[in-house]
Amino acid sequence: SECSSARERLKEMQDVLSSHRQRAIDARAALSTAENKSNVLTALSKLQKSGRIHGFHGRLGDLGVIDEKYDIAISTACGRLEDIVVDSVDCGQQCIEYLRKNNLGYARFILLDKLRNFNTNPIHTPENVSRLFDLVQPRADKFIPAFYSVLRDTLVSSELSQANRVAYGKKRFRVVTLDGKLIDLSGTISGGGNHVARGLMKLKQTQTEYSEIYTPEEVAELEKAVAERENNFKVASDTLHEMEQELKSLQA
């Protein structure tokens, strides 16, 4: 009876440990990304304010908003929301040179004056599913071509069975589901795992860049808590092993 109860408690401990371990990994990754992005954006914003560059607008994902419902979908389908938007080639080159010279990190730029004239009018979609581009509300009209250049006609569906239907009709579409499964034009499908992309674009309700923003101290605390749980789990696992050996001896 004690062994049976201990096994159940150990299973619960393992589930909690796995959850906390994944959270710590995600927090460390989010912090690393945020720090690099923050360094780049802060440096270039200061450069703009000092008057040394003109036409710097910031991250594409910060230049529009989307409903929270579509956070995972747009973050999965469009990693290029991290790109930095500038008016011209000259501004982009100045930014790159400044980042390189000061060893501030890497950034990719969208040049507004080099984007072609896209037809961004609404399109007919299978089963009238939404196009991600139509769900974005740009901060200004001049950013519309930038959003279309990275989103194109990617559709968003509620679940995978619908995504399969609309992706492979008379016309092929790139489709992403609300929970982050992506069917590409080539026919490949991606998804799964414990980690889902989120927070690459501003949301109407939260207006934050990340659903969870961690400080270095918070990440360290999470990792410390995981280490303590791993130690407790090892002690409990060893204790259960001893109990099972004793049980076998008693049964014999």
Side-chain angles (χ1 to χ4, degrees):
S1 175
E2 285 178 20
C3 273
S4 178
S5 177
R7 281 192 209 100
E8 288 180 12
R9 289 200 303 274
L10 195 67
K11 176 68 170 64
E12 290 170 4
M13 287 177 72
Q14 187 172 28
D15 291 342
V16 172
L17 174 60
S18 296
S19 173
H20 279 71
R21 188 184 287 140
Q22 187 61 50
R23 187 182 174 201
I25 290 169
D26 290 347
R28 174 61 67 184
L31 176 63
S32 177
T33 301
E35 284 177 340
N36 177 63
K37 187 176 71 176
S38 176
N39 290 341
V40 169
L41 291 175
T42 301
L44 296 181
S45 294
K46 286 180 180 177
L47 207 60
Q48 169 101 334
K49 287 176 183 176
S50 70
R52 292 167 63 187
I53 59 171
H54 300 282
F56 165 80
H57 299 292
R59 273 181 77 249
L60 178 61
D62 295 337
L63 301 177
V65 294
I66 196 167
D67 192 274
E68 188 174 14
K69 176 182 178 181
Y70 304 105
D71 180 20
I72 292 175
I74 198 164
S75 298
T76 300
C78 191
R80 291 196 62 189
L81 290 169
E82 295 283 21
D83 288 8
I84 292 173
V85 179
V86 294
D87 279 340
S88 64
V89 174
D90 286 344
C91 182
Q93 287 176 337
Q94 286 175 303
C95 291
I96 289 171
E97 182 61 25
Y98 184 79
L99 294 177
R100 185 192 61 77
K101 187 177 177 182
N102 294 279
N103 196 30
L104 289 168
Y106 168 86
R108 183 166 51 184
F109 294 83
I110 294 175
L111 315 172
L112 292 180
D113 68 343
K114 292 300 177 185
L115 292 176
R116 59 190 179 88
N117 293 322
F118 297 108
N119 178 6
T120 58
N121 292 328
I123 62 170
H124 174 72
T125 62
E127 301 184 21
N128 290 321
V129 298
S130 298
R131 183 171 61 161
L132 267 179
F133 169 74
D134 297 323
L135 301 171
V136 173
Q137 296 179 15
R139 207 165 71 189
D141 287 349
K142 68 178 179 180
F143 302 132
I144 291 174
F147 279 108
Y148 187 79
S149 72
V150 298
L151 289 169
R152 301 295 173 116
D153 293 328
T154 300
L155 307 181
V156 56
S157 72
S158 56
E159 35 78 33
L160 189 58
S161 60
Q162 184 187 46
N164 275 309
R165 291 196 304 272
V166 301
Y168 303 122
K170 289 182 180 179
K171 178 183 176 183
R172 283 206 168 192
F173 283 96
R174 186 169 182 259
V175 189
V176 64
T177 62
L178 293 177
D179 62 355
K181 296 179 182 70
L182 179 67
I183 300 176
D184 225 319
L185 284 173
S186 62
T188 59
I189 182 170
S190 56
N194 293 321
H195 178 69
V196 292
R198 65 175 76 235
L200 292 192
M201 188 157 178
K202 282 188 177 293
L203 311 177
K204 288 179 182 177
Q205 294 165 14
T206 63
Q207 294 294 303
T208 58
E209 293 175 37
Y210 287 93
S211 55
E212 288 188 275
I213 300 175
Y214 298 95
T215 64
E217 293 76 18
E218 287 171 333
V219 173
E221 280 296 315
L222 282 171
E223 290 173 340
K224 181 182 176 184
V226 168
E228 289 176 358
R229 286 182 183 278
E230 285 177 336
N231 184 58
N232 292 340
F233 179 76
K234 185 179 184 308
V235 171
S237 182
D238 291 345
T239 302
L240 175 60
H241 179 70
E242 290 172 7
M243 290 169 67
E244 287 175 334
Q245 292 303 313
E246 178 68 15
L247 179 60
K248 285 180 181 176
S249 175
L250 288 166
Q251 287 170 335

